[in-house]
Amino acid sequence: MLFWDILIIILNFAGALALFLFGMKLMSEGLQKIAGDKMRSILGKITDNPLRGILTGTVVTTAIQSSSATTVMVVSFVNAGLLSLAGAVAVIMGANIGTTVTAWIITLFGLGESTSAFSLPMTLGAISLIFTFAKKDKMKSIGEFIMGLALLLVGMGFLQSAMPNLEEYPKFLEMLGRMSDFGFWSILIFTVIGALLTCLVQASAAMMAITLVMCYKGWIGFDVAVALVMGQNIGTTITANLAAMVANTAGKKAARAHLVFNVLGVLITLVVFRPVMNVIAYLTSGMVGADPYAEVGSVGYSAEAIPMALSLFHTFFNVVNTLILVWFIPQIIRIVNWMVKPTAADEEDEFRLKFIGGGWMNTAELNLESARKEIENFSKRVLRMYTFLPSLRTAKDDEEFDAVMARIEKYEGITDHMELEIAKFLTRISEGDLSKEGSQRVSSMLRIVDNLESIGDAVFQIAMTRKNKRDAAVHFDQEQNDNLEHMTELVQQALTVMDHNLKTDYNKNKIDLDAAYDAENAINKYRDQLRNRHLDALKLGVYNYSIGSVYSGLFSLYEKLGDYVINVSEAIDNSKKEAGNN
């Protein structure tokens, strides 16, 4: 075999696989945009009821056609404290069931000569929908889903044609035969191969497609194909575990639970491997009238038998393992707790990003929930930073004052970093194929993080003014201190309302904009009162200009901080109004 022949085969195969994956991605994105907030809402309301968690994981993964996206969301929800570890294990079990739909789509529509008969009409229909309803997000998303499914089927067709006839390469066929002749050890070998290849590709759907084509072409037998599928179930856990690398301890445990569940499922199947294979062979014979163990060219052989049997096994494997292991969720949690120990950083709360580190999902719409939770986290940091200010006034000595200043400076750096990282994340989202509602939410979120960072800057400026006042030995009288304390309380009330509004769903009628405006008006009104009193006090010589300058600078900074606070609630409300217009 010439080098150029091998290169052409590799390039054709890679191109076919790329087309398949692009179709899979487009189909998944279309479905996720159709589901939109409902899917995120469903995942966010999961309880510890195992049955509800399994059903949720199955439905969501069937809808979005990506178990990796589901498990990454589960990791982020556990990381955020929105989902218990027990609930996460149940959802992961359901996700494993939901992902089996991909194999059935490929088996029923993507193999054989009928592929183009489905794909070409679907392509025409999809293009019609996309261009006819270009301004209607829902219909456009349906068109994208159909187009993705069509490209997936076309990619399957090219994968089949890219696979060379092994009869022309007897040495390769002989090598495969030797690897398959070790009995049970061959099953273990191909399980490991399936896991490694899936880890490299990071797409279990692609590996399933390749395995199905290899079966259809007669490259591998039924037992070897099943071993590859079991390995793929282990290898697919790499995505969630990569996402959990920057998660907290709870998030890491959720990712490890995915690995433990899949490994246990493989071990259980290996123990009863032959009886399970006999059951699948019996069911396949009843469905297609052919034996998956029949040799090529024999009377009972059918090219469709092994792919059908493999799809049956994939579903049987995940459903039965779920039915068995759902009773052992507490034991799985114990294993995970043993695997993942709390770190010092988790104990001390190092104020790092929690939700948007490595948990990037391929679909832009799904990343909006991670961004929203990170913004909530940003708000908590800003509120925490604000609570340090009163300690600057009450500090008993320089050491205590400097310690508080150091914390405020640390938090100021954190707010700068969070604003930068969240803005970068949102920019990446905006580069994806977003709906109009999603685009509006990204725009609003960018405004929100900008104003949250400005609040952090304002707090730091207030702290620096306090420091300069202390260094210059400027002292306020009791009335001035009382006035600034009351202004501090008014701004605190505004921040509390802002934080409440950030915790609502931007598309729901839960934001309390009236309370936000009431808090803002109270700040402005009191600032005006202080300004008038301050001018009168200067005229009467109650205090000198240097004291008055620091005093007026402080209450003006508090009022400016209040402006940033109301900007946040207005940005949320703008997102809600725009969403309601679509």
Side-chain angles (χ1 to χ4, degrees), residues 67-72 74-75 85 88-97 99 204 232-241 251-265 318 325 332 336 339:
S67 61
S68 295
T70 303
T71 51
V72 167
V74 167
V75 169
L85 189 54
V89 174
V91 176
I92 288 167
M93 290 177 173
N96 276 23
I97 296 173
T99 196
S204 59
Q232 290 160 23
N233 263 48
I234 296 174
T236 193
T237 64
I238 189 66
T239 304
N241 279 279
K252 287 182 173 68
K253 287 180 179 180
R256 299 298 188 278
H258 189 201
L259 174 63
V260 169
F261 170 69
N262 283 17
V263 169
L264 288 175
N318 285 294
L325 293 174
I332 292 175
V336 169
M339 293 173 68

Side-chain angles (χ1 to χ4, degrees), residues 184-308:
F184 190 73
W185 287 106
S186 292
I187 304 302
L188 295 179
I189 290 170
F190 280 99
T191 299
V192 173
I193 291 173
L196 292 176
L197 290 176
T198 307
C199 285
L200 290 173
V201 177
Q202 285 198 44
S204 59
M207 284 306 303
M208 175 58 77
I210 293 170
T211 304
L212 287 169
V213 172
M214 290 170 71
C215 293
Y216 187 77
K217 289 285 188 177
W219 280 37
I220 56 177
F222 181 42
D223 285 354
V224 169
V226 165
L228 288 173
V229 169
M230 288 193 294
Q232 290 160 23
N233 263 48
I234 296 174
T236 193
T237 64
I238 189 66
T239 304
N241 279 279
L242 286 174
M245 288 178 67
V246 294
N248 58 22
T249 299
K252 287 182 173 68
K253 287 180 179 180
R256 299 298 188 278
H258 189 201
L259 174 63
V260 169
F261 170 69
N262 283 17
V263 169
L264 288 175
V266 169
L267 292 176
I268 291 171
T269 305
L270 288 173
V271 171
V272 292
F273 185 78
R274 191 50 56 195
V276 169
M277 295 303 98
N278 291 337
V279 170
I280 299 299
Y282 175 78
L283 293 174
T284 305
S285 297
M287 293 176 66
V288 297
D291 185 358
Y293 283 108
E295 294 184 4
V296 178
S298 64
V299 177
Y301 173 78
S302 171
E304 290 80 16
I306 297 183
M308 180 65 71

Side-chain angles (χ1 to χ4, degrees), residues 33-50:
K33 282 188 281 187
I34 293 169
D37 291 323
K38 291 182 180 178
M39 180 183 58
R40 291 190 290 270
S41 177
I42 289 171
L43 274 175
K45 294 178 180 177
I46 300 167
T47 66
D48 287 341
N49 183 298

Side-chain angles (χ1 to χ4, degrees), residues 133-144:
F133 301 98
K135 295 183 179 180
K136 295 185 178 180
D137 280 356
K138 188 74 73 175
M139 295 304 295
K140 185 179 178 181
S141 297
I142 293 173
E144 289 175 358

Side-chain angles (χ1 to χ4, degrees), residues 378-379 381-383 385-386 389 412 415 448-462 491 494-495 498-499 502 557 560-569:
F378 194 178
S379 175
R381 300 294 177 235
V382 168
L383 264 68
M385 182 181 181
Y386 184 79
L389 288 177
E412 202 276 332
T415 59
I448 290 168
V449 296
D450 179 60
N451 280 282
L452 286 175
E453 192 274 335
S454 295
I455 292 172
D457 285 345
V459 171
F460 182 68
Q461 289 171 18
I462 292 171
V491 174
L495 285 166
M498 177 199 77
D499 190 58
L502 281 172
L557 281 172
K560 186 64 176 176
L561 195 158
D563 290 341
Y564 298 131
V565 172
I566 191 63
N567 288 345
V568 171
S569 290

